[in-house]
Amino acid sequence: IAGITQAPTSQILAAGRRMTLRCTQDMRHNAMYWYRQDLGLGLRLIHYSNTAGTTGKGEVPDGYSVSRANTDDFPLTLASAVPSQTSVYFCASSYDSEGGEQFFGPGTRLTVL
Amino acid sequence: GQNIDQPTEMTATEGAIVQINCTYQTSGFNGLFWYQQHAGEAPTFLSYNVLDGLEEKGRFSSFLSRSKGYSYLLLKELQMKDSASYLCAVRDGDYKLSFGAGTTVTVRA
């Protein structure tokens, strides 16, 4: 693994189903983030984690949950998907929460029908 | 909330120069980033400004004026591969990044 990986690449999901998007980084970065990107709105922060064991809410957290059991993994869960959660989801990481740029994963394209 | 504005689209000719402006109003300021994003791909880091002035990195330069809440990204000697979306992002007082909607640059031969 080099950098950040996300899985799946794309997914079509029925409304009401539970879904977990996976994110793994091998750069030993302390901070990790989940964004969604929608046309005309830019990237919006869903949840973040400044270090393993801690998480926080971003701009649009409703309907999403995260966990950070270790440094490398930061999964995003949709407990009961709704069509408005159709989006492209990007995971990102940075060395720490206060310095340096964020590195982005390749994204997951999610469609909720 | 944060407010970050940049033009939606710009078109320029190969070899020319294009300047993408970004204005922002945020709760606190801890730096401004520019990212490049090709269609269907992840954003990649281009530049970072935290102090006023110009940062030059090859064909790309970025300028910041904190008192005016203003930045620009200058792309020189445009190449076809520069056709992409350019994202302005501000790190606020809580060290969270807020992104503009992005500027799509189309380079024509």
Side-chain angles (χ1 to χ4, degrees):
Chain A
I1 298 177
I4 303 181
T5 59
Q6 293 184 236
T9 301
S10 65
Q11 182 77 44
I12 299 174
L13 191 66
R17 297 297 295 268
R18 180 184 180 90
M19 176 74 191
T20 295
L21 308 185
R22 300 184 297 279
C23 175
T24 299
Q25 54 99 2
D26 66 354
M27 296 178 283
R28 307 306 293 173
H29 283 173
N30 290 306
M32 297 187 74
Y33 313 85
W34 274 105
Y35 294 90
R36 58 178 291 173
Q37 187 174 38
D38 302 290
L39 198 63
L41 293 178
L43 286 155
R44 291 181 292 168
L45 183 65
I46 305 171
H47 284 287
Y48 64 92
S49 170
N50 289 336
T51 189
T54 69
T55 63
K57 294 181 179 180
E59 180 185 354
V60 289
D62 294 343
Y64 306 95
S65 63
V66 292
S67 62
R68 186 87 183 279
N70 57 61
T71 298
D72 298 346
D73 302 300
F74 191 42
L76 176 74
T77 297
L78 289 68
S80 179
V82 295
S84 62
Q85 292 177 311
T86 293
S87 188
V88 180
Y89 290 86
F90 286 101
C91 179
S93 72
S94 60
Y95 177 73
D96 63 35
S97 61
E98 298 184 3
E101 71 269 30
Q102 292 183 15
F103 295 82
F104 285 80
T108 294
R109 183 174 294 276
L110 182 67
T111 302
V112 182
L113 302 177
Chain B
Q2 321 295 17
N3 190 24
I4 300 169
D5 290 319
Q6 51 181 129
T8 303
E9 295 180 333
M10 302 183 75
T11 301
T13 305
E14 197 174 13
I17 298 173
V18 68
Q19 177 175 315
I20 306 169
N21 296 323
C22 173
T23 58
Y24 63 89
Q25 290 179 306
T26 57
S27 304
F29 179 84
N30 282 297
L32 187 143
F33 296 79
W34 285 95
Y35 282 82
Q36 181 190 58
Q37 186 177 25
H38 286 100
E41 298 183 6
T44 55
F45 169 75
L46 284 179
S47 69
Y48 170 66
N49 295 70
V50 66
L51 300 176
D52 291 351
L54 188 69
E55 293 284 340
E56 297 188 85
K57 192 185 289 187
R59 293 188 299 113
F60 293 0
S61 303
S62 57
F63 171 83
L64 174 67
S65 169
R66 289 172 296 170
S67 63
K68 296 182 179 179
Y70 169 71
S71 173
Y72 67 73
L73 179 70
L74 196 68
L75 286 62
K76 295 175 279 190
E77 301 169 18
L78 279 172
Q79 302 176 9
M80 299 300 288
K81 67 179 182 179
D82 297 329
S83 291
S85 184
Y86 292 85
L87 314 179
C88 174
V90 177
R91 189 158 60 192
D92 65 21
D94 293 327
Y95 293 92
K96 298 297 172 287
L97 272 187
S98 293
F99 285 82
T103 300
T104 299
V105 172
T106 302
V107 181
R108 294 182 173 169

